[in-house]
Amino acid sequence: MTYHFETRCIHGDRCLDKDHPYGAVSTPIFQTATFIHPGPGQSTGYDYTRVNNPTRDELEKTVSSLEHAYDTMACTNGMAAIGLCLEFFFPGDHIICTEDLYGGSVRMFDNAKKQRGLSFTYVDTADEALVEQQITEHTKAIYIETPSNPTMRVTDLRAMRRLADRYGLYLIVDNTFLTPYLQKPIDLGADMVIHSGTKYLGGHNDTLAGFLCVKTPELSETARFYFKTNGCCLSPFDSFLILRGIKTLPVRMDRQQSNAQKIAQWLKEQEKVEQVYYTGLPEHPGYEINKAQARGAGAMISFRVKDAQAAKCTLEKVQLISFAESLGGVETLLTYPTMQTHGDVPAEVKERLGITDDFLRLSVGIEDVDDLIADLAQALE
Ligand SMILES: Cc1ncc(COP(=O)(O)O)c(C=O)c1O
């Protein structure tokens, strides 16, 4: 029997297996570097924690179950998972990316271009024809964030799959913003899914983690080889923390999303707010596509105020809301993308994408929504 998503968040696929040592209800932290062999050529199934560990295994199986993946590698953070994914590519290979990716991904790709001879083209992947125009004989993959970070552009994943099939490309999706609770990229055609587990999966702004989920045994074999070779594995303790976070993912997501919907509506009505970017607003250009491929709009909102001065003033005046980088946790955070998450993106690119000094990004938490709105109201004054 397959249990529902919410149940699998709590019990993983082991819903009926109650075989933890001493009847422990939560997965024990196997804080060990190595495992005793019963005899030559024999193994308990675990040999050395860089390769596998029971606590991390439970986490990886849980994330695979939630993402409908064949296998998942739990990495030290999201960037490590993206680095692992890049191991699939060789000098000369070309990758087409969503143009407003997380700034850290752009930094890593710039470096991979200089040091490893990969090439990257950034386009508005919401425009299928534009993506197709960029495909060359060297193109190996399409790399998507939807909604994108931070301007919330929505890409039609089914359309990207059609292109990937036509040209024999991998489709890779960073699903950090919506999580498998709201969007399942593998069901929509992705070959690989990436997460910063630091965000919604962990959910408490207290642990870094990353995931590379793969669709097939062949992809798993390659990814596992680099995983054990590079040594980017998540520790047993952090695996435990993320497992604990995932147990409440659906309830947190529901609350964060309903708070975000109310805040986006409220922001829209404020004189001091010039523009609101939230895929849950019907006037958002990606509203219909997001609705067709995801169960919700999530809890990330970007908005534009009058000018840089107004943006800085808002950041200084928030009290309950924290001016901090990151997203997805129970605490509401306000970020200044131009200086923080996208600080390393060249100025002309930020200008073109609209990541300017009047642009703010809000990760909505689970506090009382009226308290959040009151804080924003006084900060925008
Ligand atoms: C969409 C997205 N992907 C990947 C990352 C990188 O994750 P981490 O900070 O866990 O390395 C981030 C971090 O903010 C992100 O927002």
Side-chain angles (χ1 to χ4, degrees):
M1 161 161 188
T2 308
Y3 287 91
H4 290 96
F5 188 93
E6 289 78 354
T7 307
R8 284 180 285 123
C9 282
I10 295 165
H11 300 282
D13 276 342
R14 304 166 35 100
C15 293
L16 299 178
D17 298 345
K18 311 277 185 207
D19 59 356
H20 286 325
Y22 307 110
V25 169
S26 76
T27 304
I29 305 167
F30 285 89
Q31 191 64 40
T32 182
T34 191
F35 298 82
I36 297 166
H37 300 296
Q42 294 173 20
S43 166
T44 58
Y46 297 97
D47 301 319
Y48 190 60
T49 281
R50 173 158 41 77
V51 181
N52 59 2
N53 172 284
T55 315
R56 196 170 65 235
D57 250 22
E58 182 64 21
L59 172 63
E60 291 175 338
K61 289 199 175 98
T62 300
V63 174
S64 288
S65 168
L66 302 180
E67 277 291 3
H68 295 173
Y70 173 78
D71 192 14
T72 294
M73 269 77 11
C75 305
T76 46
N77 52 54
M79 293 317 301
I82 298 170
L84 184 59
C85 177
L86 284 189
E87 297 287 3
F88 279 85
F89 303 98
F90 296 93
D93 286 353
H94 172 237
I95 301 173
I96 298 176
C97 310
T98 301
E99 63 183 349
D100 62 330
L101 287 186
Y102 166 58
S105 308
V106 177
R107 185 172 52 234
M108 180 177 276
F109 294 172
D110 281 352
N111 199 49
K113 182 176 163 190
K114 285 187 210 122
Q115 295 201 336
R116 296 172 53 181
L118 303 183
S119 67
F120 299 85
T121 301
Y122 296 90
V123 291
D124 178 4
T125 48
D127 185 337
E128 185 183 347
L130 212 55
V131 177
E132 187 164 18
Q133 276 169 28
Q134 301 301 325
I135 296 172
T136 72
E137 57 180 315
H138 301 294
T139 307
K140 292 289 182 307
I142 309 175
Y143 186 102
I144 304 289
E145 277 181 32
T146 178
S148 63
N149 184 359
T151 66
M152 310 295 160
R153 299 253 256 290
V154 175
T155 296
D156 182 341
L157 292 179
R158 293 185 182 93
M160 291 303 108
R161 181 68 254 167
R162 283 195 294 274
L163 283 183
D165 280 342
R166 200 172 310 147
Y167 295 94
L169 313 176
Y170 289 130
L171 178 59
I172 304 163
V173 179
D174 183 330
N175 200 28
T176 299
F177 269 30
L178 289 187
T179 82
Y181 182 54
L182 298 178
Q183 177 169 268
K184 291 193 181 52
I186 289 182
D187 289 356
L188 296 160
D191 300 291
M192 292 187 245
V193 174
I194 284 163
H195 278 281
S196 168
T198 315
K199 310 301 187 310
Y200 290 98
L201 298 180
H204 294 77
N205 287 320
D206 59 7
T207 319
L208 299 184
F211 296 99
L212 177 66
C213 312
V214 297
K215 187 181 178 178
T216 65
E218 294 73 32
L219 293 171
S220 162
E221 198 183 331
T222 306
R224 284 269 162 209
F225 171 79
Y226 287 110
F227 185 67
K228 95 173 160 192
T229 303
N230 296 353
C232 54
C233 60
L234 193 64
S235 74
F237 182 63
D238 286 347
S239 299
F240 166 81
L241 286 175
I242 303 292
L243 266 173
R244 186 169 69 160
I246 288 175
K247 287 178 199 280
T248 55
L249 172 68
V251 284
R252 282 187 284 107
M253 253 333 212
D254 284 346
R255 171 63 170 255
Q256 285 174 273
Q257 182 168 257
S258 85
N259 280 357
Q261 187 73 40
K262 287 179 196 149
I263 291 172
Q265 289 288 356
W266 179 84
L267 282 171
K268 234 174 68 173
E269 289 153 14
Q270 304 313 302
E271 250 178 50
K272 302 245 163 104
V273 175
E274 305 280 319
Q275 200 176 345
V276 180
Y277 303 74
Y278 181 57
T279 54
L281 295 175
E283 62 270 32
H284 186 284
Y287 176 81
E288 289 301 336
I289 290 173
N290 192 68
K291 218 168 131 197
Q293 66 189 12
R295 277 180 51 207
M300 296 301 299
I301 304 171
S302 292
F303 61 100
R304 196 176 294 290
V305 288
K306 193 164 139 265
D307 51 27
Q309 179 58 23
K312 285 183 183 146
C313 206
T314 310
L315 290 164
E316 277 164 12
K317 281 171 70 182
V318 280
Q319 291 170 359
L320 174 64
I321 298 170
S322 304
F323 167 26
E325 219 158 318
S326 204
L327 62 108
V330 290
E331 298 90 359
T332 299
L333 304 183
L334 188 61
T335 301
Y336 199 30
T338 190
M339 280 174 74
Q340 295 180 303
T341 51
H342 292 69
D344 285 352
V345 174
E348 68 279 7
V349 176
K350 285 195 282 197
E351 189 67 34
R352 181 165 52 76
L353 298 175
I355 311 170
T356 42
D357 52 14
D358 54 358
F359 186 90
L360 295 165
R361 192 191 74 183
L362 190 67
S363 167
V364 179
I366 65 167
E367 299 94 335
D368 184 286
V369 70
D370 293 334
D371 292 339
L372 293 174
I373 289 177
D375 195 25
L376 284 169
Q378 66 78 27
L380 284 166
E381 262 317 300

